[in-house]
Amino acid sequence: MVILLFIVVLWYSGLFFQTFFLHRYAAHQTFKMSKFGEKLCYILTWVTQGSNYLSAYGYGVMHRMHHAYADTEKDPHSPKYDDNLFKMMWRTKKIYADINAQKAIIEDKFTKNVPQWEKFDKFASSWGSRIGWGIAYTAFFYFFATAWWQWLLLPVAYMMAPIHGVIINWFAHIYGYTNFKVSDTSKNLLRFDWLMMGEAYHNNHHKHGGRANFGGVRWHEIDVTYLIMILLDKMKLIKLNPVAVVKREH
């Protein structure tokens, strides 16, 4: 039970900072917060993602490219241009690494106002940090695993952020339903997104990329991350941009 609870906590805490900080803030800037709040989110992203920490700059730039080039040859991750999800994620990894290392030639529109904390990213993305978190996860399993099958969950802890990514970037472009006609294959993977905290409403998001609420088009589309953002806004910790009311097209 302890191991299962550990995986659940890692899953949802890491996912929250991925969707809240990396996606809705760094990539789309659907809300504003103080520089202190931004720095705190960097640290909490590192704490919750651990061995699979993602840079706000690398993620933000790459995600903007995904929207601009969705399902074309320039898309950093598209099931249309890779034979399987492993090839897609390997290509995504290389593009992400090139962006972070300043090796890729990026248009200004993809980098404008994307937050960057180079020193912290260098530390949090280092092999020392990643291996240190990996050792910590392994030690936790050593002390608390009570059955052999629980060890099968250890690779999930090591690779949780890529797993989050492949669920949306692969499966949400193949399975699900649509509310809007868009120029790509994005779909809403789940009717009630209990798994991805709103990220699974991918078709909604591709139609209205700057909208903080990824759900809300149908009655069952509850975006848990957005509900948390409303609370943070009321507490004056962030300032949400106005959210337009939208209706599905079909």
Side-chain angles (χ1 to χ4, degrees):
M1 182 61 72
V2 173
I3 293 297
L4 292 178
L5 181 61
F6 177 69
I7 291 296
V8 169
V9 170
L10 278 186
W11 181 277
Y12 285 106
S13 62
L15 177 60
F16 174 75
F17 283 98
Q18 182 266 336
T19 184
F20 170 74
F21 180 56
L22 306 182
H23 192 179
R24 306 186 201 211
Y25 180 76
H28 293 292
Q29 298 176 349
T30 62
F31 64 94
K32 299 177 179 64
M33 62 178 163
S34 67
K35 287 298 180 182
F36 173 80
E38 186 179 290
K39 291 288 197 297
L40 181 61
C41 281
Y42 270 98
I43 295 168
L44 292 175
T45 300
W46 175 64
V47 169
T48 56
Q49 292 186 341
S51 63
N52 39 103
Y53 170 84
L54 293 172
S55 155
Y57 181 79
Y59 183 101
V61 170
M62 187 171 66
H63 186 71
R64 289 182 180 185
M65 292 170 63
H66 170 61
H67 275 266
Y69 303 129
D71 286 330
T72 70
E73 291 182 355
K74 292 183 178 181
D75 190 345
H77 37 71
S78 170
K80 288 182 66 175
Y81 290 93
D82 288 294
D83 296 333
N84 56 64
L85 59 87
F86 299 104
K87 285 186 177 180
M88 184 192 76
M89 293 307 290
W90 183 253
R91 182 162 62 89
T92 301
K93 176 186 178 299
K94 292 196 294 184
I95 294 171
Y96 167 83
D98 285 346
I99 292 171
N100 272 336
Q102 308 292 327
K103 293 180 179 179
I105 300 174
I106 306 295
E107 295 179 54
D108 291 344
K109 64 181 179 181
F110 297 131
T111 62
K112 185 178 180 181
N113 297 327
V114 178
Q116 188 174 25
W117 190 1
E118 290 188 58
K119 289 184 178 179
F120 187 82
D121 274 344
K122 186 175 181 180
F123 156 71
S125 301
S126 68
W127 279 111
S129 173
R130 296 192 189 282
I131 292 172
W133 281 110
I135 292 171
Y137 297 159
T138 305
F140 189 90
F141 272 69
Y142 177 80
F143 285 109
F144 294 102
T146 56
W148 68 265
W149 60 265
Q150 293 176 2
W151 285 93
L152 299 177
L153 296 172
L154 184 57
V156 177
Y158 291 156
M159 300 294 291
M160 197 161 281
I163 293 171
H164 290 153
V166 82
I167 289 172
I168 300 304
N169 299 327
W170 183 268
F171 293 102
H173 278 265
I174 299 175
Y175 305 107
Y177 68 95
T178 60
N179 287 327
F180 303 101
K181 293 180 180 179
V182 292
S183 60
D184 56 70
T185 58
S186 60
K187 295 174 174 61
N188 294 331
L189 185 60
L190 300 170
R191 291 185 172 273
F192 170 62
D193 187 10
W194 56 272
L195 182 66
M196 298 298 294
M197 299 188 73
E199 289 286 309
Y201 303 129
H202 204 47
N203 175 253
N204 295 354
H205 175 57
H206 269 244
K207 179 65 176 180
H208 300 283
R211 190 169 179 263
N213 184 2
F214 290 2
V217 179
R218 302 193 191 203
W219 69 269
H220 51 75
E221 294 175 355
I222 300 171
D223 182 352
V224 175
T225 300
Y226 180 64
L227 297 180
I228 296 172
M229 291 166 68
I230 291 174
L231 177 61
L232 294 175
D233 180 74
K234 292 185 180 298
M235 295 172 66
K236 308 296 184 182
L237 297 175
I238 66 171
K239 177 62 177 176
L240 274 169
N241 297 339
V243 177
V245 176
V246 297
K247 296 182 179 180
R248 70 180 191 267
E249 295 174 347
H250 60 281

